[in-house]
Amino acid sequence: MLSYLMLYFGLAAGALAGLSFMIFKIGSALADCPDTGRAAKAGSMTIVAGFVAIGAGGVILIAAGVLAVLPHMAPAGVLTALGLAVLCLGLGFTQAVATLRDIVAQAAARVSAATE
């Protein structure tokens, strides 16, 4: 049972770390713009902090639910929990990137309004 939980936490933490890294990379790519770069950089840092906190909490809550059913369905329970965790992390990633896009769009609108 412990090996299944270690496998679950390892893969879920890997997914969380990978998606967090991608948010940072998207933020750094958007930070190249001289007008909206500071907003993109600050936005990506705050979004990643929230994503990691919420994602880690979700991974732990799903693991707690799996602990209840693990003795009865060890491999299937872990795979179901891992699928749910990755699905939730992916949905959170989508929301995080949309939020970052909105931050950059608002910064661009402010720069555009200031130059007119």
Side-chain angles (χ1 to χ4, degrees):
M1 181 166 96
L2 185 61
S3 62
Y4 286 122
L5 282 175
M6 297 288 285
L7 177 68
Y8 166 76
F9 276 117
L11 292 173
L16 181 62
L19 290 173
S20 300
F21 180 73
M22 284 306 300
I23 296 171
F24 265 133
K25 291 297 282 183
I26 292 168
S28 356
L30 293 172
D32 289 343
C33 177
D35 294 333
T36 61
R38 292 181 69 201
K41 198 174 274 191
S44 68
M45 288 181 5
T46 56
I47 289 168
V48 166
F51 180 75
V52 168
I54 293 170
V59 165
I60 292 169
L61 283 173
I62 291 170
V66 167
L67 280 175
V69 298
L70 196 57
H72 305 293
M73 43 188 297
V78 170
L79 290 175
T80 301
L82 188 59
L84 179 62
V86 172
L87 175 71
C88 292
L89 290 172
L91 290 171
F93 175 80
T94 303
Q95 182 64 38
V97 171
T99 302
L100 183 58
R101 184 183 61 223
D102 289 343
I103 288 170
V104 172
Q106 288 175 4
R110 280 191 300 259
V111 168
S112 158
T115 58
E116 290 179 358

